[in-house]
C-alpha cells in the first residue's frame, strides 16, 4: 500500500521508526494514559528494585500502536538495566534464542515483540530460561546427541503481542504480570499530541490537537503520524501553525475523514453499500471488489470499522450497519440489518466464509 493508504494503519512503518524514537516517552511518569497498567507496573518495578532482584516476566497485549514497545524500553530505563530487542518471527531456531539468552547480563531486559509468532522449539527452550534461568543446548543429532546445560543470568522477559489468544497456555502461565493496553480516549490523545508537538517544535492550538485526536482511531502511533503530515501541510501551505482549519484541510488532502477512515476503509463500506446493498457478503468477494488482499481487509480495515459500529461480521458474511449508510450519505433501506438485511444476489450469497 502507499503511504497515504497506510496513514491510519496502526502498524509501524519504516518511516515511523526514527520519528517514534524522538517522541517516545523515556520514563513511566511520562507515559500518557493507561493509568491502571502504569500504576500496576510501577508497583511491580518498585518492589523488585527494593528487593534487589529482577521483576517478574511481563506480558503486554493489545492492538498495535498503543505503546507496548515504549513500555518495554521504560521498564529497562526504570530498572537501570540494558535491553535486548528482538521479535518472534526473527527467532526461527532454538539456537538463535540460546545465543541471545546466554549473552544477557544480570538484570537485563529481553524484549520479544510479536511473541506469539515465536517458533515452537524456541518457545520450549524459553520455558526453562524463564523459570530456572538455564537452557539446554542440544549438540549433535540422533543417538549421539548430547544436551549441554548452560546457566543464564537472571533477566526479565517483556513479551508483546497483538493476538494474545494465539499464545500457548504454558507460555502465558510463565508471565508473572500480564497487562492489556486499551485504546486511548480523545482527551488523552490531545495531551499526547501537545507533548509530541513540543518535542517536534510544531506550534499547535487546542482546537487543532482536538481535530487530529478525533481522527486518530484512539491510537498514539496514528496520532503522531497524522501530526507529522499536518505539520507538513501547515509549513508548506499555511502559516506553520496547526490550528483547526489547517488540520481539517491537511487531513482532507490525505483522505482521512472525520471518523478517521481512509480511502480503503471508505472503499470497503462503499462496496458493501453500493455493490452488495449492505451485505451479507463474504470476505474474499469484498476484497476483490476493493482490489485488495483478503488479509489486508480483515486485519487492517475491519478491526476499526467493527469497533466504530460501521460494519458487522456475521456467520453469513460482512454487513454494513445503519451508521455506515449514514456516514456515506446514503439513506439506509427500511428494515433491520443482519439476518433480515436486504436480499443479496445469489452469486454473492454463495460466498459465506466464516468471519
Amino acid at each position: 500500500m502507499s503511504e497515504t493508504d497506510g496513514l491510519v494503519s496502526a502498524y509501524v512503518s519504516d518511516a515511523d521508526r526514527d520519528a517514534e524514537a524522538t517522541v517516545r516517552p523515556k520514563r513511566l511518569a511520562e507515559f500518557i494514559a493507561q493509568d491502571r497498567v502504569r500504576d500496576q507496573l510501577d508497583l511491580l518495578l518498585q518492589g523488585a528494585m527494593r528487593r534487589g532482584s529482577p521483576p517478574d516476566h511481563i506480558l503486554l497485549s493489545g492492538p498495535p500502536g498503543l505503546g507496548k514497545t515504549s513500555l518495554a524500553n521504560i521498564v529497562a530505563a526504570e530498572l537501570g538495566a540494558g535491553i535486548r530487542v528482538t521479535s518472534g518471527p526473527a527467532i526461527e531456531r532454538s539456537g538463535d534464542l540460546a545465543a541471545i539468552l546466554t549473552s544477557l547480563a544480570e538484570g537485563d531486559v529481553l524484549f520479544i515483540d510479536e511473541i506469539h509468532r515465536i517458533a515452537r522449539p524456541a518457545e520450549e527452550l524459553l520455558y526453562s530460561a524463564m523459570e530456572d534461568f538455564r537452557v539446554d543446548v542440544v549438540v549433535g543429532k540422533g543417538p549421539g546427541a548430547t544436551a549441554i546445560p548452560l546457566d543464564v543470568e537472571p533477566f526479565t522477559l517483556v513479551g508483546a503481542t497483538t493476538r494474545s489468544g494465539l499464545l500457548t497456555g504454558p507460555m502465558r502461565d510463565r508471565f508473572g504480570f500480564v497487562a492489556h493496553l486499551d485504546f486511548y480516549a480523545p482527551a488523552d490523545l490531545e495531551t499526547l499530541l501537545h507533548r509530541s508537538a513540543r518535542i517536534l517544535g510544531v506550534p499547535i492550538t487546542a482546537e487543532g490537537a482536538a481535530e487530529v485526536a478525533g481522527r486518530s482511531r484512539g491510537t498514539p502511533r496514528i496520532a503522531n503520524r497524522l501530526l507529522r503530515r499536518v505539520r507538513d501541510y501547515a509549513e508548506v501551505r499555511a502559516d506553520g501553525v496547526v490550528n483547526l482549519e489547517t488540520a481539517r484541510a491537511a487531513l482532507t488532502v490525505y483522505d482521512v475523514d472525520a471518523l478517521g477512515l481512509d480511502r480503503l476503509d471508505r472503499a470497503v463500506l462503499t462496496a458493501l453499500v453500493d455493490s452488495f446493498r449492505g451485505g451479507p457478503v463474504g470476505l474474499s468477494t469484498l476484497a476483490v471488489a476493493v482490489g485488495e488482499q483478503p488479509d489486508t481487509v480483515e486485519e487492517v480495515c475491519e478491526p476499526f470499522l467493527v469497533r466504530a459500529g460501521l460494519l458487522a461480521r456475521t456467520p453469513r458474511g460482512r454487513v454494513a450497519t445503519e451508521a455506515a449508510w449514514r456516514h456515506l450519505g446514503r439513506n439506509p433501506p427500511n428494515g433491520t440489518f443482519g439476518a433480515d438485511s436486504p436480499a443479496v444476489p445469489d452469486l454473492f450469497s454463495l460466498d459465506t466464509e466464516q468471519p
Side-chain angles (χ1 to χ4, degrees):
M1 296 192 300
S2 69
E3 182 180 353
T4 301
D5 292 333
L7 199 60
V8 292
S9 170
Y11 292 94
V12 65
S13 65
D14 292 338
D16 288 329
R17 299 188 189 278
D18 293 338
E20 284 188 357
T22 303
V23 299
R24 182 169 284 161
K26 304 297 190 294
R27 310 294 293 194
L28 205 55
E30 301 173 4
F31 195 84
I32 296 171
Q34 309 292 346
D35 295 337
R36 177 178 52 83
V37 173
R38 190 177 57 194
D39 290 344
Q40 292 172 348
L41 197 55
D42 182 56
L43 287 173
L44 176 72
L45 299 178
Q46 292 291 339
M49 287 189 288
R50 291 190 180 189
R51 291 188 299 271
S53 61
D56 287 341
H57 303 298
I58 299 167
L59 177 65
L60 304 172
S61 67
L66 297 187
K68 295 184 292 294
T69 301
S70 294
L71 280 176
N73 284 281
I74 286 172
V75 167
E78 294 286 347
L79 295 173
I83 183 170
R84 291 288 301 274
V85 179
T86 185
S87 65
I91 303 175
E92 299 179 350
R93 298 180 298 273
S94 58
D96 299 334
L97 181 60
I100 295 173
L101 291 170
T102 53
S103 67
L104 294 175
E106 183 176 357
D108 275 359
V109 173
L110 172 61
F111 174 54
I112 303 181
D113 197 12
E114 296 298 314
I115 195 172
H116 63 272
R117 297 174 62 186
I118 193 171
R120 182 54 60 89
E123 178 180 325
E124 293 174 352
L125 181 75
L126 194 56
Y127 294 162
S128 59
M130 294 173 70
E131 286 190 326
D132 304 322
F133 299 115
R134 57 169 286 172
V135 293
D136 293 322
V137 178
V138 178
V139 178
K141 297 182 179 180
T146 304
I148 301 177
L150 298 175
D151 290 331
V152 176
E153 296 289 349
F155 71 99
T156 297
L157 172 65
V158 179
T161 177
T162 55
R163 307 182 70 178
S164 58
L166 296 183
L167 281 175
T168 62
M171 171 63 78
R172 190 183 299 107
D173 292 343
R174 282 171 168 79
F175 287 98
F177 176 74
V178 179
H180 180 80
L181 275 62
D182 298 316
F183 288 101
Y184 284 51
D188 293 326
L189 285 179
E190 290 178 39
T191 302
L192 181 143
L193 284 167
H194 281 293
R195 176 184 179 274
S196 297
R198 286 194 303 271
I199 295 172
L200 296 174
V202 180
I204 188 170
T205 67
E207 295 79 8
E211 186 68 19
V212 175
R215 305 191 189 201
S216 299
R217 302 181 180 230
T219 305
R221 177 175 292 148
I222 296 175
N224 285 323
R225 188 184 296 148
L226 293 181
L227 174 64
R228 299 197 301 274
R229 300 289 73 79
V230 173
R231 174 193 60 183
D232 295 340
Y233 182 95
E235 292 176 350
V236 175
R237 298 188 180 178
D239 59 0
V241 178
V242 177
N243 53 31
L244 177 61
E245 294 76 15
T246 302
R248 284 180 176 174
L251 295 174
T252 299
V253 169
Y254 288 108
D255 287 330
V256 179
D257 69 15
L259 290 183
L261 306 188
D262 67 357
R263 179 203 61 81
L264 184 56
D265 298 320
R266 288 193 300 277
V268 169
L269 293 183
T270 301
L272 266 174
V273 168
D274 292 345
S275 301
F276 306 122
R277 289 183 285 171
V281 61
L283 174 61
S284 62
T285 301
L286 184 59
V288 170
V290 298
E292 286 289 350
Q293 295 297 318
D295 57 350
T296 300
V297 174
E298 185 174 26
E299 296 177 12
V300 176
C301 298
E302 286 190 349
F304 180 72
L305 294 178
V306 171
R307 185 165 61 88
L310 301 173
L311 180 144
R313 299 200 295 189
T314 72
R316 293 184 60 202
R318 275 58 176 174
V319 176
T321 66
E322 183 175 352
W325 287 77
R326 298 195 183 281
H327 182 67
L328 294 175
R330 275 68 154 178
N331 291 321
N334 295 327
T336 58
F337 290 80
D340 299 324
S341 59
V344 181
D346 290 342
L347 173 64
F348 303 121
S349 63
L350 292 175
D351 187 0
T352 56
E353 300 139 322
Q354 294 295 320

